[in-house]
Amino acid sequence: MSMPPQKSPQSPVELYTITVAINFEQSFQDDSILIDLVDAFTKEGISAFRFDFSGNGESEGEFQYGSYRKEAADLRSVVLYFSKQKYDIIALVGHSKGGNAVLLYASRYNDVPIIVNISGRFALERGIDGRLGKNFMQRINKDGYIDVKNKKGELEYRVSKASLEDRLSTDTLLSSRAISKDCRVLTIHGARDEIVPAEDARQFAAHIPNHELRIMAEANHRYTGHEAELTSLVLDFVRPHLHLHSASRLRPKL
């Protein structure tokens, strides 16, 4: 987890944006997408904070394949920590699985006014066989786990039956509809995403009450070569809300 940020002297009020760095698999807070976003926020006079969920990147703990609810709870701990430090949290931004985490957070807690979902997956039942192989349910029911290995045959992580069931039981439709209309949500997705289909982004748009959708025609899952455009879309969405938020002073419910 990164060190707490310094409050920006450029900002007229103490505004604070948390950006969540988590990829489809094990993620790293030094993901170039999130680094570019943090730099852009800082130049706008908005403090930013990047972190890995437990078991990912540099954070301690064991990686879990599912754990969507736990990650939303981890994010809650981060929000509460910085709220107690007298920061106003104005936005949560997550990439890939992090997009699911910030959306699930919004559906449960309704205390952050802006959510940005970058390439999150709506249909969580899809994509599993690509990661775990065919007949994954039969194999995990037999052995209780599946070991995922890299191309060299080295163990990357173990998927437990409980973590797989956590993913399959996470109701994205229900949680999307539960997000308050007072929460403004932006979904950005690449039309050439090779991991999560752009159709998933359209599903979020169809069910989240207060939603804006941006499909980037040439972008892949990691926005290779399109980082500047991605950063611009996020900033353009967050920037108009700064004055409104400074007036309303929305804070998490402690």
Side-chain angles (χ1 to χ4, degrees):
M1 187 173 286
S2 300
M3 294 297 292
Q6 297 294 319
K7 296 175 185 177
S8 171
Q10 302 174 28
S11 182
V13 293
E14 294 176 2
L15 298 177
Y16 187 77
T17 298
I18 297 174
T19 57
V20 180
I22 184 164
N23 211 335
F24 182 69
E25 195 178 294
Q26 287 165 291
S27 68
F28 303 90
Q29 59 176 307
D30 291 331
D31 185 300
S32 61
I33 295 172
L34 277 301
I35 289 175
D36 289 345
L37 282 173
V38 166
D39 288 344
F41 280 127
T42 301
K43 290 176 182 177
E44 289 285 323
I46 307 168
S47 298
F49 179 70
R50 294 177 288 115
F51 78 100
D52 297 316
F53 287 116
S54 58
N56 292 271
E58 297 178 5
S59 292
E60 297 178 353
E62 183 179 351
F63 173 76
Q64 294 292 330
Y65 183 69
S67 68
Y68 291 91
R69 298 171 183 86
K70 181 181 183 301
E71 287 170 358
D74 286 348
L75 184 52
R76 177 64 168 168
S77 297
V78 174
V79 169
L80 290 179
Y81 171 80
F82 283 107
S83 296
K84 291 176 181 177
Q85 306 305 310
K86 307 304 180 184
Y87 285 96
D88 284 326
I89 295 97
I90 60 170
L92 301 176
V93 184
H95 172 238
S96 197
K97 194 174 181 228
N100 288 90
V102 296
L103 290 170
L104 185 57
Y105 181 95
S107 73
R108 289 186 159 203
Y109 301 107
N110 186 32
D111 56 15
V112 176
I114 303 170
I115 299 293
V116 180
N117 158 39
I118 304 173
S119 304
R121 184 185 290 277
F122 188 88
L124 295 179
E125 71 279 4
R126 288 203 304 242
I128 300 176
D129 55 354
R131 187 69 50 171
L132 305 184
K134 296 180 179 180
N135 302 318
F136 61 88
M137 283 304 302
Q138 292 92 324
R139 291 163 55 210
I140 208 164
N141 282 330
K142 177 184 176 183
D143 300 326
Y145 65 90
I146 293 176
D147 285 338
V148 177
K149 300 180 180 180
N150 60 23
K151 294 180 179 179
K152 296 180 180 180
E154 300 167 335
L155 177 65
E156 288 192 340
Y157 56 89
R158 173 168 289 185
V159 177
S160 68
K161 184 176 181 180
S163 66
L164 178 59
E165 290 175 344
D166 177 89
R167 172 169 174 153
L168 292 173
S169 65
T170 300
D171 193 331
T172 310
L173 174 61
L174 183 64
S175 61
S176 295
R177 290 176 173 173
I179 297 174
S180 169
K181 64 180 180 180
D182 295 326
C183 178
R184 192 79 178 95
V185 179
L186 169 66
T187 290
I188 303 173
H189 212 105
R192 297 191 175 185
D193 192 318
E194 70 284 13
I195 295 177
V196 182
E199 176 58 29
D200 285 44
R202 298 185 180 93
Q203 289 292 313
F204 284 122
H207 297 291
I208 295 174
N210 190 358
H211 187 276
E212 188 171 318
L213 175 64
R214 291 288 182 269
I215 301 291
M216 294 173 57
E218 302 299 322
N220 61 17
H221 191 67
R222 299 193 59 76
Y223 297 85
T224 307
H226 300 276
E227 296 88 350
E229 182 183 355
L230 172 67
T231 297
S232 179
L233 286 174
V234 175
L235 276 179
D236 287 346
F237 186 77
V238 173
R239 193 182 288 115
H241 297 268
L242 298 182
H243 176 72
L244 177 64
H245 178 69
S246 65
S248 65
R249 308 292 286 180
L250 178 63
R251 285 185 176 275
K253 301 169 185 175
L254 301 179

